[in-house]
Amino acid sequence: RIALLAVVGYLVTQFFTFPGYLSPSHGLRFADVPNGMAAVSAVPLLGWLQIIAFAGYVETKLLQKFKGNPAGDVGGEKWQRYEEPIKSQKLLIELKNGRLAMLGMTGMLVGERLSVIFTRH
């Protein structure tokens, strides 16, 4: 699921940026942050710590209310659950989509890196 979100995030930032400031104290606007891997060094350290803290909070606090559910099942009572064999088929589709997203993200990062290398020379 993280790879799927990474692909969507990578593609969305190619066409859309938030208005305003990412870090008013540093004078850093969202529009000033480059796309791709270059964004890692553009975001201040405290920004990354906030992202990690928020992700940790979601993982340890918000998703804990579904503690009785099996791993990966974070849906509430109103979410549809499937019985076998449909459940196995849906899980296999999700697994394949995740693997494809990992390959897609790797391809985009390699392509970005190669374009940086070849445009320098």
Side-chain angles (χ1 to χ4, degrees):
R1 291 185 186 141
I2 291 174
L4 295 167
L5 289 173
V7 168
V8 170
Y10 191 94
L11 294 174
V12 166
T13 58
Q14 300 292 324
F15 305 105
F16 174 79
T17 57
F18 287 111
Y21 285 89
L22 173 66
S23 176
S25 62
H26 288 93
L28 181 64
R29 302 176 58 85
F30 284 106
D32 298 336
V33 177
N35 296 333
M37 290 302 293
V40 173
S41 61
V43 176
L45 177 62
L46 286 177
W48 287 114
L49 293 176
Q50 287 176 351
I51 293 169
I52 292 168
F54 178 74
Y57 173 76
V58 168
E59 190 72 28
T60 60
K61 300 293 183 200
L62 293 182
L63 298 181
Q64 289 303 311
K65 61 182 171 182
F66 306 113
K67 209 169 193 146
N69 294 357
D73 185 0
V74 295
E77 294 176 6
K78 295 184 181 182
W79 283 35
Q80 181 176 359
R81 305 293 194 295
Y82 297 98
E83 300 296 326
E84 294 296 339
I86 296 173
K87 180 179 179 181
S88 294
Q89 180 185 10
K90 298 256 183 210
L91 290 172
L92 182 61
I93 290 169
E94 184 178 3
L95 182 67
K96 288 181 178 182
N97 286 339
R99 288 177 179 163
L100 183 60
M102 286 185 245
L103 288 172
M105 193 67 219
T106 302
M108 287 188 285
L109 293 175
V110 168
E112 174 189 327
R113 184 67 185 145
L114 288 176
S115 67
V116 168
I117 289 172
F118 289 123
T119 56
R120 287 184 186 167
H121 300 287

